Amino acid sequence: MEIEFSRELGNYSWLVCVVDVSGEEMVFCDHTVDYERLLLSVLFVNCTSLEHDQHWLRLRLMVNDTMGEEKNVTYSAHCNSVHADEIITPFFAGETNCTKDFMAVIFPRLIPDSGDEHMVPATPMAWTLLIDDGTRIQQLSLGQAMQQGYSFLADGHNLILQVSFTATGVVSYKHNDKVLYTVAFKLMYGPPEYRLTVESRMLCAPGPAICNATHMTVAIPAFPGTLMAVSVENKTISVDQLQENGIALDTKRGVKLHISRRGLKSRLHGESCSGLQSYMPSLKLDFHFHGKTTAMVMHPECPCDKHAPIAAVCTQDGYMDFEVLADSTTPPLDLDTLRLRDSACQPAFKSPLNDRVWFHVPLKGCGTRHWFDGERIFYENEVRALWADLPLRMISRDSEFRLTVLCSFSNGDASLTIRVDNLPALASSVNQGPLSLVLLSYPEVSYRQPYRDDQYPIVRYLRQPIFLEVQVLNRNDPNLHLVLDDCWATSSQDPSSIPQWNIVVDGCEYDLDSHTTVFHPVGHGVSYANYRQRLEVKTFAFVSGDKALPGLVYFHCSVLICDRFQPDSPLCMARCPRPSRSKRDSGMPDANSAVVSLRGPVLLVPEGWSASQGSNLLSKEVWAGVTMTAVGILSLVATMLLLLVLLKWLKRRASMVNVIC
């Protein structure tokens, strides 16, 4: 199709381009301009649209007149459509749209049809598909091609050819788990002497991409092609300029593009995966392959990984993406107390374990502020957890937390910085008053129910375990915790009496005992677990000469109350073994230390003795003590009974006197 312009146009500076119905330039239109003859020549293919059996051409003429003013004028022209046997110029279909399920090319629907609007008609003489796999050429009819993995769809004025990765003639190049698929074909219509031909060499590497905290990697296995250019959305970047645009190129084995996540966009994962997903809407790679430029357009995205951390990134589509961890503070942060400047904006997702949250903050919302500094624009927001922001009825023991997120742009480049301010812990609310401790004994390792006072003395055979627990009473500050100093046993109620047997020394098991003390974790099923210490002791006996002495044994412990953030004693730092030292021998008083004794004694009996024998074989001193105690109790009971009888007699006599009067 030729367009001749007016001779007057030769007096001006002018340019012409071919546009579509919407006024956008048709970049694939192959046209020539003869400025001497003022003649524009265009091909029907890629330059015209077929409307009502006519080829329509639209062009924009840009003219600079003698005054330097530019004028833009749009013209349209048309001519009747030609028959298929009149078109003999082959058309080369360019870029391949590469998806995870198939690859596709689009070319103009030059042959008008009266069939299904969504499917190319299969007339007897119409279509032939030639497939070249590098070793042979296969010729298929339209019906055969559709049975072997090729689909033909009509879309307006275009035809779409979709090819599955398992279709006939598709060749693959593999390395590890990465695959590149390619196929060369010719689609022909009409008789041999006047044949319409569409050619294409398709390329597709479906992925998925590989992602870490800072980059997305697109990997393509080695094949006989050379990378010429990369286009990110509508921006074309030559190979030697990739590094300047945040893309590192590795061509040792195939092609690897390491793309900075700052250049990616982000969206919420679907219901099957929590968190934010980084992706690139369009990535076009141009290769020189078998003598022609072949392009594929990919849509890479990071796969779902529920456990991968989300890097702090500033995205090109106007968001700040970052995460906050519960263990950012000590004690752990209550993530439900986190607030942006606009408290109505909530985290995008929270992990199932409630140990981290992800924020997806718009640059133009949620209280984000912005300012300019030269050519750079800054966006800033703040995430905080302050006690003052919580309702008055709530009590928080968490440390305060403040995180500042700063995002900046300059000439299309985005960068993000994170500044975390861990504020000091809030002042603890502590019950004042004397320190109260209790030392309990339990019948089993579950520590469910301690022995009652009326169950003492507890009878234990040698080498049977004794389960002890030290508890702090009269304290409620979670920042404080109980630390065992020393634990020991005596043969009398006096903690300082001799002889003594060490159980715990300086917070550690006594290493001179062949049956060392075992410490048991408290767990989180009890309130104020940091105020308890549990230990297991194997039963022993005091000896006289070479004989074990049965008798009553009393247990004692000295403890420390330590601040988790400001330990005031070396014993507050958990470390075993410690240098040999005894706090009880140092004579150094401590306001936060105390000694506690078991509520009653433990009766230790050597192996082989029965419980009935034990009552007869107790030492005379022990039996005498028990007997004296029993006699004392009986005497007290008898005295009280006599008093009750006397009071009752006096009361009856007083009543009789009142009646007589």
Side-chain angles (χ1 to χ4, degrees), residues 335-503:
L335 298 178
D336 293 330
T337 64
L338 290 174
R339 297 290 184 270
L340 287 163
R341 282 206 181 96
D342 184 352
S343 59
C345 294
Q346 300 295 320
F349 270 101
K350 181 185 295 183
S351 68
L353 298 178
N354 200 25
D355 60 347
R356 66 180 67 197
V357 292
W358 294 274
F359 284 92
H360 186 56
V361 183
L363 299 183
K364 296 184 178 180
C366 293
T368 303
R369 301 169 181 170
H370 72 277
W371 66 89
F372 293 90
D373 186 1
E375 297 182 355
R376 185 173 291 271
I377 182 172
F378 291 87
Y379 296 89
E380 182 259 342
N381 209 320
E382 180 184 79
V383 180
R384 64 184 189 180
L386 301 181
W387 191 55
D389 294 338
L390 302 178
L392 293 177
R393 62 181 178 84
M394 296 182 64
I395 299 175
S396 175
R397 300 297 174 211
D398 291 325
S399 299
E400 291 188 304
F401 175 83
R402 179 177 283 124
L403 180 147
T404 301
V405 186
L406 191 66
C407 173
S408 63
F409 289 89
S410 178
N411 297 326
D413 178 42
S415 63
L416 181 142
T417 58
I418 294 287
R419 185 176 72 249
V420 180
D421 299 325
N422 284 326
L423 302 180
L426 297 175
S428 301
S429 173
V430 183
N431 286 346
Q432 302 298 325
L435 181 64
S436 298
L437 299 169
V438 63
L439 178 58
L440 303 173
S441 180
Y442 292 77
E444 54 186 357
V445 73
S446 62
Y447 287 88
R448 293 179 181 175
Q449 184 67 39
Y451 285 110
R452 302 186 307 273
D453 291 350
D454 59 359
Q455 292 178 297
Y456 287 93
I458 304 167
V459 178
R460 280 289 184 270
Y461 292 95
L462 291 182
R463 285 186 287 276
Q464 275 191 309
I466 300 175
F467 301 103
L468 303 176
E469 180 184 70
V470 186
Q471 290 186 21
V472 177
L473 307 177
N474 200 33
R475 289 291 188 274
N476 65 350
D477 183 0
N479 293 335
L480 303 180
H481 64 122
L482 169 69
V483 172
L484 285 181
D485 182 5
D486 298 327
C487 289
W488 66 98
T490 63
S491 59
S492 71
Q493 297 184 26
D494 184 4
S496 61
S497 63
I498 301 297
Q500 295 183 0
W501 183 254
N502 291 323
I503 300 170

